[in-house]
Amino acid sequence: MADTFDSLEARPPEQRERELMARLPQLVARAKAAAGWSRILKDVNAADISSRAALATLPVTRKSDLHALQELQAPFGGLNTTPVGQLARVFMSPGPIFDPEGRSADWWRFARPLYAAGVRPGSLLQNCFSYHFTPAAFMVDGGAARLGCAVIPAGSGQTEMQVQAIHALRPDTYVGTPSFLKIIIEKAQELGTDISSIRRALVSAEALPESLRTWLAEHGVPQVLQSYASADIGSIAYETRSGDMRDPGMVLDEDVILEIVRPGSGEPVPAGEVGEVVVTVFNPDYPLIRFATGDLSAIMADAPPSDCGRTNTRIKGWLGRADQTTKIRGMFVHPSQVHDIARRHPEIVKARLVVSGQIAQEAMTLHCEVADPASASDAAIVESIRTLTKLRGEVQFVAVGSLPNDGKVIADIRDYT
């Protein structure tokens, strides 16, 4: 039976798309009132941005750009539409990168992943994300408050106290990193302490290999689901369940428009192809438009409908990092340069730069998918490589569909021994 947080999650996909696109012009107009977005979107008419095709014409703002933008205009690069003094909190992540939190309920939209994990009003959560400078713990607090749950603000570390708190207070849900949950379980075993009240976990901030998920189930936590979130965006996507079964992939949040683009560009790739996660977020205090996370993922176009009732797009989860910048003979080569080379030659369907050999003796080869590899000419492409990277490179033509679907634009396979 369907069991969703609200009716938005069960909308017909066509209705969701129509309603999201209808909201886009107002989001762009609001963003342009902020100094930073006014510079980025200076030539954009907000009323024209009412479709995915129109959205794809806007510039990409990368997470890696935030530090420079914030140095230019403190503290948020002029991307905030609510003045600093009217916010609830200001966070600082390594970099440093500063992130805001507004005053609305469940500002980070974390009630949805908690609900999907089985958390209900009256639950007691042990929140093991850090309350120090970064926002993850407050994301959980906001979502729990919206659901009507109590939170043990345990934070990270102090493993023995974590075990004592679980034993004494009997929370039913753990929220934090999966590796720390394993550490807590091992400490409880060492101490001979009963922590069997924890029957579910919502984990994030690091990878969850299936081997660890299985280990946690075998040691008393049968349901462990993942959330994909970030300090600048909040909740992006999360795992769901149908009864006792885990659904495939992660379902998108209802206030996020997702694009998967070819790394180094802003060009959306076909559904199923691995690329960089780019999101547009309907946040009135900190609107983000075509914000590139630096993470790789792919849309699951063939995901079967879920019995849980959620109809939104599903993605494969975190598949690695999109920033594949590498240094070759003293020169940095960026994915955007590979994209620019391919764009100069329309016959190239897809390109992948492979760096091989040993340091100081490496070879650089651009593998190009083309319709007819046997008759393709490499002379002009070799010249483009030299012009755009200032390095000499070779070209290898391959058939369309031959390159791996892993999101890599630059593959560094050098021997570093």
Side-chain angles (χ1 to χ4, degrees):
M1 294 180 62
D3 185 15
T4 57
F5 176 72
D6 60 19
S7 61
L8 294 179
E9 295 181 346
R11 285 180 288 181
E14 300 80 8
Q15 178 185 344
R16 176 182 293 106
E17 184 73 3
R18 187 169 59 250
E19 291 173 353
L20 287 173
M21 294 305 109
R23 296 170 64 189
L24 257 179
Q26 291 80 14
L27 177 70
V28 175
R30 182 173 179 85
K32 289 192 68 174
W37 287 117
S38 179
R39 290 191 301 270
I40 295 168
L41 305 173
K42 61 182 178 180
D43 298 322
V44 174
N45 179 9
D48 294 338
I49 311 304
S50 58
S51 68
R52 285 186 181 267
L55 180 64
T57 66
L58 302 184
V60 169
T61 299
R62 301 191 176 279
K63 186 182 181 83
S64 56
D65 297 335
L66 285 181
H67 180 67
L69 287 171
Q70 292 182 357
E71 283 196 328
L72 182 68
Q73 185 174 353
F76 306 121
L79 304 183
N80 54 304
T81 51
T82 298
V84 175
Q86 296 177 23
L87 297 168
R89 296 181 179 92
V90 175
F91 299 98
M92 185 171 73
S93 300
I97 297 294
F98 302 103
D99 296 299
E101 179 185 354
R103 295 186 176 275
S104 60
D106 192 21
W107 193 85
W108 302 95
R109 308 177 314 283
F110 219 76
R112 294 187 190 281
L114 286 171
Y115 192 90
V119 176
R120 295 293 181 269
S123 290
L124 177 61
L125 283 62
Q126 182 125 334
N127 186 0
C128 291
F129 281 123
S130 174
Y131 284 82
H132 182 68
F133 276 124
T134 55
F138 295 92
M139 295 185 193
V140 177
D141 277 13
R146 186 175 179 188
L147 287 177
C149 303
V151 173
I152 304 168
S156 56
Q158 297 182 295
T159 312
E160 192 164 331
M161 285 188 66
Q162 302 277 358
V163 172
Q164 291 173 352
I166 297 172
H167 178 71
L169 298 172
R170 311 300 289 169
D172 51 64
T173 305
Y174 165 93
V175 188
T177 64
S179 62
F180 191 51
L181 176 56
K182 183 174 186 288
I183 290 170
I184 290 173
I185 292 172
E186 290 173 335
K187 176 59 72 173
Q189 291 174 334
E190 175 190 324
L191 298 172
T193 304
D194 176 21
I195 59 168
S196 60
S197 65
I198 297 287
R199 302 297 293 167
R200 74 175 67 89
L202 180 64
V203 300
S204 192
E206 64 185 27
L208 174 63
E210 284 305 310
S211 58
L212 178 53
R213 198 194 306 253
T214 300
W215 188 96
L216 294 170
E218 291 172 347
H219 289 79
V221 188
Q223 182 174 290
V224 180
L225 299 184
Q226 297 181 87
S227 170
Y228 173 32
S230 78
D232 17 62
I233 299 165
S235 177
I236 300 171
Y238 48 91
E239 288 185 321
T240 62
R241 61 188 175 88
S242 298
D244 294 330
M245 300 296 292
R246 180 163 46 91
D247 291 317
M250 292 184 169
V251 67
L252 290 179
D253 182 82
E254 295 296 322
D255 280 315
V256 166
I257 296 174
L258 174 129
E259 300 169 272
I260 302 292
V261 308
R262 186 154 289 121
S265 80
E267 296 181 1
V269 300
E273 185 171 331
V274 176
E276 183 173 11
V277 174
V278 170
V279 296
T280 296
V281 185
F282 292 91
N283 186 317
D285 303 303
Y286 193 54
L288 294 175
I289 298 171
R290 301 207 83 201
F291 183 78
T293 64
D295 294 328
L296 293 176
S297 191
I299 291 173
M300 298 181 66
D302 55 351
S306 170
D307 291 338
C308 77
R310 294 172 180 83
T311 59
N312 208 341
T313 300
R314 289 181 181 269
I315 61 173
K316 290 186 177 179
W318 186 82
L319 298 177
R321 293 294 295 168
D323 185 4
Q324 300 148 25
T325 298
T326 192
K327 201 171 191 179
I328 305 169
R329 297 194 288 278
M331 300 288 290
F332 282 106
V333 179
H334 304 272
S336 58
Q337 291 171 296
V338 178
H339 170 69
D340 289 341
I341 293 167
R343 192 165 56 177
R344 287 189 175 196
H345 304 277
E347 68 271 25
I348 300 177
V349 176
K350 185 177 178 181
R352 178 188 183 101
L353 187 69
V354 178
V355 188
S356 58
Q358 294 183 315
I359 297 297
Q361 297 179 337
E362 54 265 271
M364 193 170 80
T365 305
L366 188 68
H367 294 240
C368 302
E369 288 188 0
V370 294
D372 187 1
S375 62
S377 173
D378 65 356
I381 301 173
V382 167
E383 181 58 31
S384 292
I385 294 172
R386 183 184 292 275
T387 299
L388 291 173
T389 69
K390 312 305 179 187
L391 295 164
R392 183 175 64 82
E394 305 298 325
V395 174
Q396 180 177 327
F397 295 111
V398 298
V400 174
S402 297
L403 295 178
N405 180 23
D406 57 7
K408 284 190 177 180
V409 175
I410 299 176
D412 187 348
I413 60 171
R414 283 176 285 189
D415 181 0
Y416 285 88
T417 60

